[in-house]
Every structure is written in structure tokens, then in C-alpha cells.
Amino acid sequence: MTTTGTVLDDIIVGVREDLATRRDAVPEAEIDRRARAAAPALDAAARLRGDGSTMGLIAEVKRSSPSKGALAEIPEPAELAATYAASGASAISVLTEQRRFRGSLADLDAVRARVDVPVLRKDFVVEPYQVLEARAHGADLVLLIVAALDDVQLRELHDLATELGMQALVETHTHGELERALALEADIIGVNARNLKDLTVDLGRAADLLARIPAGPLAIGESAVASAADVEAYAAAGADAVLVGEALVTSGDPAGEAASYRRVARRGRPQPEGAHA
């Protein structure tokens, strides 16, 4: 554990160790070359926006989590991703963090080769190498967690993703983090109901933050989805889409579950007093 002792800090220590191993195997100059030689990225924002009538869905390939432990074996991530895509998922999220989530870049490769919808590399991105790596492995979208980055790092990683033709899902958990995402002029802002520092979940807090996102950026609700009723709650708070993993992989019917989320009507963003103009 790190001196601060949060779950997020602990995860990032492992992420940096694993990153060092990969960088030794593939130098940065080579991963940069591969990233810039990759096929053009797909427009994830456009797919998530759709026609604006129903909720977008980022369906996640998720084997495990720090809060729940093992969720599903998923021996064939590409097959699950294809099921999601056939059920109307706007994008596929692939966890590549290996210690807590049992993911890998091999999963990302398999999914990218199988589906024609945008793919998110979901990991704890703290260095430019990981953004290059995401593009080199075919990701169209990369997760940037505001809580894990200072403003200089956040801007650098966001700019690099943009330069490579990708988009960034800029994830927030607090009012302060949302202010930073808005200052970045991020096109896609996530609000995670799970606090990554202690793993508690508060959908009410997430709803309050979502309502404070102005018209323009796409707003993505993350975590705390167990059923279509929770997707309805996110829609009522102004989310344009949801990112869901656990409920899908443990449902026994990921196709039916994903389709039920996609049928939820989008409601638009309420603008309470004190929200941004």
C-alpha cells in the first residue's frame, strides 16, 4: 500500500510496475510507431450520441473488480463483445488492468478484431505510453480518471489522445473533479457513482454531478447499475449513456440485459440553480 492508503493509490502502484515491464519489452519509440500506423479510430461520441432518443450503452468485458472480486470467467472476450454489439451496445469497454480486474491487452486485441463498434481501453492511465499503447491495440476511446492525475498530466494525456484521433472518457467523482473536466473542455465526461478511494457507491451524488454538466459534452453514468431501473435513474439525472459491466456479465442473459438498457428513453439534462450556463 502507499502512504495515503487509498484503493486507487494501491492500484496505480501495480499499474506502474506492470507498465515498466511492458515498456522494457516494447520501447516507447516502437509503440509510438505502431499507434500512428493503426487504422483510424472510430467516432465513439457519435455512436454514443445516436439519434438522442434512447440511452447509449458502453458494455463492459469485466472478469473481476476490487469491490466484488471474481465476477465471470469470460474465456472468450470477443464472443461476449459480439453479443453486446448485436444487442445494440454503442461501444465496448475492455478492462486491461491485470492485477485487480484480470484484464489484458490481449483481450483488447481480441475484441477489436471481432466488433465494428468503438472500443474503450479501460485502465488506470497515468503515462503517455499507455495512450499510445491503447491506439496501437486498436482502441478508439481511452479512460482518463481525473482523481489519478494532476492538471498537467490530464491535459497532456487528453491532448495526446486527440492527436492520435481518439477520444477520452474523462471520469469524475466529485464536484472539484467535474470542474477540472469542464475546464479541460472534455467532449465525454463520465460520473462514477463509485468512489475509487474507498469503493463506496452513491448514485444520488452521481446524479447531482450529472445534472451539473452543461449541454454540449456527452454525460456518461458509471457504476451502480443493477437493472434497467438504475439506467432510468441515470437518464432522469441527465446522463446520455451508461457504462455497465458487472450487471451484464453476471446476469445470465447479457444480450437481453443490454437490450433492455438501450430501450431506456433519454431525457436530457436538467439544469438546477448553480449549474453552469
Side-chain angles (χ1 to χ4, degrees):
M1 292 292 288
T2 62
T3 55
T4 52
T6 70
V7 175
L8 179 60
D9 291 331
D10 193 24
I11 290 172
I12 289 174
V13 169
V15 163
R16 288 189 182 279
E17 291 174 355
D18 295 336
L19 171 58
T21 299
R22 296 197 306 277
R23 184 185 273 120
D24 286 343
V26 182
E28 188 147 351
E30 174 59 17
I31 206 69
D32 186 286
R33 184 195 68 77
R34 294 180 189 179
R36 297 178 192 281
L42 302 175
D43 188 342
R47 295 295 289 264
L48 287 164
R49 188 172 287 111
D51 64 6
S53 63
T54 61
M55 291 288 279
L57 172 64
I58 305 175
E60 190 159 85
V61 176
K62 184 175 188 177
R63 294 191 179 90
S64 183
S65 77
S67 61
K68 297 291 183 67
L71 299 171
E73 284 303 312
I74 315 180
E76 299 292 341
E79 291 297 326
L80 179 59
T83 296
Y84 288 155
S87 302
S90 314
I92 309 298
S93 171
V94 182
L95 279 151
T96 58
E97 196 280 332
Q98 63 192 61
R99 300 191 183 202
R100 300 294 191 97
F101 294 89
R102 296 169 53 209
S104 69
L105 287 166
D107 288 346
L108 181 60
D109 290 337
V111 170
R112 173 72 291 161
R114 183 63 184 275
V115 302
D116 60 3
V117 299
V119 176
L120 163 69
R121 181 194 184 177
K122 192 173 180 199
D123 209 317
F124 297 81
V125 175
V126 291
E127 294 192 22
Y129 186 98
Q130 294 165 284
V131 178
L132 293 166
E133 207 173 38
R135 186 79 279 271
H137 286 267
D140 310 290
L141 190 62
V142 64
L143 180 71
L144 299 180
I145 301 172
V146 175
L149 304 165
D150 63 30
D151 286 339
V152 173
Q153 293 171 318
L154 184 60
R155 174 67 66 181
E156 177 186 24
L157 297 173
H158 188 272
D159 287 353
L160 178 57
T162 301
E163 177 190 340
L164 294 171
M166 287 192 293
Q167 294 161 324
L169 170 54
V170 180
E171 180 178 290
T172 66
H173 303 79
T174 67
H175 286 91
E177 291 171 15
L178 177 57
E179 291 294 331
R180 293 173 62 199
L182 292 170
L184 187 67
E185 298 183 334
D187 292 329
I188 308 174
I189 297 176
V191 174
N192 198 332
R194 187 179 303 283
N195 183 330
L196 291 182
K197 295 185 177 181
D198 61 14
L199 302 184
T200 58
V201 175
D202 186 345
L203 186 51
R205 174 180 51 80
D208 177 64
L209 291 179
L210 283 163
R212 293 176 179 273
I213 298 175
L218 281 170
I220 315 297
E222 305 176 49
S223 297
V225 172
S227 68
D230 296 317
V231 181
E232 294 270 8
Y234 270 123
D240 300 299
V242 289
L243 190 159
V244 186
E246 180 183 337
L248 292 172
V249 301
T250 61
S251 69
D253 180 17
E257 198 75 5
S260 74
Y261 300 164
R262 285 288 284 125
R263 289 193 291 268
V264 173
R266 198 177 300 186
R267 302 189 189 181
R269 204 106 72 240
Q271 291 296 303
E273 185 177 352
H276 293 262

